[in-house]
Each structure stands twice: as structure tokens, then as C-alpha cells.
Amino acid sequence: MPQRRAITGRSQEPRARFAEELRLLRHRLGVSLRGVAEVVGWDASQFGKMENGHTLGGPEIVEALDQYYGTGGMLLTLWELAVADPTQFKERYRRYMVLEAEAVSMWQYSLSRPPGLLQVEGYAREALAAGGLSGAALDQQVGARVGRRHVLEGEGAPPFRAILSETVLRNSLRDRREWRKQLECLLEASGRPNITIHVLPFGSGLHGMDGTDLMFLRLAEGRTVAYAENDVQGELIEEAGKVEQLQRTYDDLRDLALNPAESRSFILRVLEEAPCEPST
């Protein structure tokens, strides 16, 4: 039987195919990224990132490109396939990790678990094991998560602000000694000059971030991106308007939280109340 032959020879991976089609369409038209931007209306750098596969963009920009290139909905279909691709969570997270390492300042809201940048090994291990990891894969992921803490250490470490829901301080580990280590880590971190911690106590009322962990990264070139994460998926948000809206919500949330001194006292009180003996 003769070997099956690819019809187009183009990438079958949704994200790569989408980026490839964008490049081909522009090259066939013989225009530059700046030329596309002048007509369609977004910044040329955004189109460059889409063509390089660094971002998928949003539906509005894809619809505008679909009209510009006259592709009759084909681009939007490819975009929907790329967004729905289950590998995209890992791709977005890898992209986020690169940006995190480059950030000049960071601020976060944590709904139920300590920020990954402030997790001790025992906490990371139990949390990742609860997610289904085991054996060598678990060891590898624990090492990777704990290794992220160096971002906030040493000379030149970026400023980091975290708002912690009280749930973070109450949802303890099964291993009580490891849980005390985690609380001690948060208490120690709250005293560092580059780290500011706020606690959002129970009873503070509903707010715009119920159900979502959120991290903001301010990058060296001045722009800010956000990474929203829940139990199912994570989303890297780079569109300036959406990020600005989330920042306003974050500022409102900070107004509801305790100030840094009150928050440090709150964490100390929770630590003093935590059992000392090992769990049985």
C-alpha cells in the first residue's frame, strides 16, 4: 500500500497551524506587520507575537484579521481549534514562567493556597500529590516549584505583593509539622523588604476575584500581563484593556484587606493556634 501523503504539508498542531497561516497570508499579500497594523488597528508587535506562536490573541483581533485577509471565517475557526487544544494550558504556563523570570515587580491574589513562590517543599509535595502526581514526576515538579522561590531572594529581587484569602491560612496540611513550616515561611516572608503580604479575612464580602487565583507581572518594557488560574485551567492575559480592568479589581480587593502590619499579626496568631504535635 502506498504511503499516505499529507494534503497540505502544513502543521497539524493547532497553535502552530494558526501561526503558520497568519504568516502565509501576510506574505502572500506582500505587506509588513506595520502595514497590517495601520489597517487593522492593533499594535504591530501583537501581530508579530501571533505569527511567532507566542500568543493566540483574542477573538476580536482574529475577526479583524479574517476580514482583512478575506478568509471567510477560516482564521477564526483555526483560532478556536488552537484555543480548545488541551496542550495550550502547558504552553501558556511555559510562557508565563518565562515572563515571571523577567518581571521587575509582581503582585498576586491567592484564593485557597499559598502563592507558588512562597510554598515550602512539604506543602508543594502534598498539593501536587493531591493533583495526581507520584514517583519521579512528583519529585521533579516539587523541585521545580520550590526552585521558583529564588526569584524573590537575593540582591535585586523584584517587589512582590500578595493578598491572601484567610482560607489560605486555614486550609492546613495533613502533616501538621509541615503546615507549621508553611505558616512560618509566610510569616518570615512578610518581614522581607521586597515582600508585602495582606490578609483578606473571612467576612470581607464578595468581590470580583471570587474563584480565581491571579498574578500580575510588570515587565521591563513597562507593560503588565496577568495570569488567572483556577482548578481547571490557567489563562495568560496580555491584552492591555483586560489587564487594566483586572488591576482595578485587584486594587479594590486590597482596600478590603488588612494592612501589612495587621496581616503579619494575623499570620502570627494563626501560627500560635496551629497544633505542634505530628498528626496520627
Side-chain angles (χ1 to χ4, degrees):
M1 180 179 294
Q3 185 177 8
R4 291 190 63 182
R5 181 180 172 189
I7 295 174
T8 66
R10 297 177 189 172
S11 174
Q12 300 303 302
E13 194 275 316
R15 186 187 187 103
R17 176 64 182 274
F18 177 66
E20 183 180 15
E21 290 294 338
L22 290 176
R23 292 193 300 270
L24 287 171
L25 288 166
R26 184 173 60 80
H27 290 161
R28 285 172 183 167
L29 204 58
V31 294
S32 65
L33 290 171
R34 182 173 297 179
V36 176
E38 289 174 353
V39 177
V40 179
W42 274 264
D43 190 88
S45 64
Q46 177 76 357
F47 297 122
K49 291 172 185 175
M50 292 171 70
E51 289 188 9
N52 290 328
H54 293 160
T55 182
L56 292 171
E60 299 87 357
I61 190 172
V62 177
E63 286 179 328
L65 287 170
D66 203 50
Q67 293 178 8
Y68 175 70
Y69 290 124
T71 49
M74 180 269 287
L75 273 182
L76 191 59
T77 298
L78 289 177
W79 176 84
E80 290 172 345
L81 290 171
V83 170
D85 182 8
T87 66
Q88 292 312 304
F89 173 75
K90 292 182 179 179
E91 291 294 333
R92 285 192 292 267
Y93 190 67
R94 280 196 287 268
R95 168 73 172 150
Y96 164 76
M97 292 298 292
V98 171
L99 295 175
E100 182 182 85
E102 298 174 351
V104 296
S105 66
M106 300 179 281
W107 55 107
Q108 177 168 5
Y109 170 62
S110 290
L111 177 67
S112 60
R113 294 181 177 181
L117 290 170
L118 297 178
Q119 288 184 14
V120 299
E121 181 175 348
Y123 191 99
R125 183 169 296 278
E126 187 168 317
L128 290 167
L133 289 178
S134 61
L138 175 60
D139 292 339
Q140 182 182 26
Q141 290 300 314
V142 169
R145 180 168 296 187
V146 173
R148 291 172 59 199
R149 292 172 58 183
H150 80 275
V151 172
L152 298 178
E153 299 170 352
E155 186 176 351
F160 177 59
R161 182 185 299 274
I163 302 175
L164 310 181
S165 167
E166 185 176 342
T167 304
V168 172
L169 305 176
R170 301 294 185 186
N171 193 18
S172 62
L173 298 175
R174 289 188 292 270
D175 188 322
R176 293 174 179 173
R177 283 181 295 196
E178 291 298 329
W179 175 238
R180 287 188 63 85
K181 289 180 183 178
Q182 180 61 70
L183 291 175
E184 289 167 354
C185 174
L186 293 174
L187 184 65
E188 182 273 331
S190 71
R192 291 192 225 166
N194 65 313
I195 297 178
T196 304
I197 292 181
H198 301 268
V199 173
L200 184 70
F202 292 147
S204 298
L206 298 176
H207 54 82
M209 291 187 183
D210 282 329
T212 302
D213 276 22
L214 194 65
M215 172 73 95
F216 295 94
L217 307 174
R218 187 166 69 85
L219 306 175
E221 66 265 30
R223 70 187 181 100
T224 300
V225 301
Y227 187 77
E229 186 175 18
N230 56 32
D231 289 337
V232 178
Q233 63 180 352
E235 179 185 8
L236 182 61
I237 303 166
E238 300 187 67
E239 186 180 326
K242 292 182 180 179
V243 173
E244 183 178 353
Q245 183 178 4
L246 289 170
Q247 284 182 277
R248 289 197 295 268
T249 303
Y250 185 90
D251 289 341
D252 292 340
L253 186 61
R254 188 175 62 182
D255 291 341
L256 296 174
L258 302 177
N259 66 41
E262 294 169 336
S263 297
R264 182 174 172 83
S265 297
F266 195 103
I267 295 170
L268 179 59
R269 185 164 65 252
V270 174
L271 176 59
E272 291 172 342
E273 294 170 356
C276 298
E277 72 277 5
S279 55
T280 58

